[in-house]
Each structure stands twice: as structure tokens, then as C-alpha cells.
Amino acid sequence: MLVLITYDVNTETAAGRKRLRKVAKVCVDHGQRVQNSVFECLLDAAQFAVLKAKLTQMIDPQTDSLRFYCLGNSYKTKVEHVGCAPEFAQDDILLL
């Protein structure tokens, strides 16, 4: 399923900037950045549960926030894009 993950981490302190880098790194490891604090991730239910728990533990709930939008498996009919496109589609084959 496609999950859209957005986050807002307070960066007024050094600890906040460190949290921001950690959250971004975890998201990069699981999906594609489509905007500064927005990631599209193709995950199964178990992967999503693990990722959500990991990110939830990383943030400070008093100053930071996370949002998870589960678009499901038929996400292609739910996503409309205008403007500069990502480098590759989430479900494309990527050869290294």
C-alpha cells in the first residue's frame, strides 16, 4: 500500500535539528521524498506498523508531529501530480 508520511519537527534547538535528521533518514530508507517533509512509501501492513512505531518513538510529541495517510493499493487513482515530477515512480524497477 502507498503511505504518505508528513512530519514537522521543531528545529529551534540542537536536539530538534538532530531529531529532524533522524526522522528524515528513516523516511529516506523506506520511501521517496516528494517534498521537504513529505515521503511516499510503498509498504505492506507489517512494514508500516514497524515504521510508524519507530518514527513515533523518535519525535517529541510536545513539539513535533507526524501524519500518516494510507492510500492503499489503488493509490494511482488517488494521487494527482502537477509540476516537476519525482525522479522515478514508486513502483518502477530501479536498477543499480
Side-chain angles (χ1 to χ4, degrees):
M1 72 178 151
L2 181 69
V3 178
L4 189 70
I5 300 173
T6 67
Y7 55 86
D8 186 19
V9 177
N10 184 321
T11 58
E12 293 177 357
T13 66
R17 291 187 290 275
K18 186 175 181 179
R19 281 194 315 277
L20 175 67
R21 287 189 300 274
K22 286 183 176 184
V23 168
K25 172 132 179 41
V26 169
C27 289
V28 165
D29 290 344
H30 290 85
Q32 178 176 335
R33 184 187 300 260
V34 293
Q35 302 237 332
N36 283 339
S37 297
V38 181
F39 284 81
E40 290 179 348
C41 304
L42 280 176
L43 308 167
D44 61 31
Q47 292 170 323
F48 174 58
V50 170
L51 178 58
K52 183 177 176 182
K54 188 173 192 175
L55 290 172
T56 301
Q57 290 176 348
M58 296 174 85
I59 67 161
D60 177 354
Q62 301 299 314
T63 60
D64 307 334
S65 68
L66 290 165
R67 285 181 172 252
F68 301 94
Y69 300 89
C70 298
L71 300 176
N73 291 323
S74 60
Y75 60 89
K76 290 182 181 181
T77 62
K78 298 176 184 173
V79 177
E80 184 176 336
H81 181 88
V82 176
C84 188
E87 293 180 25
F88 60 91
Q90 280 286 0
D91 55 356
D92 279 351
I93 296 173
L94 182 63
L95 299 175
L96 300 173

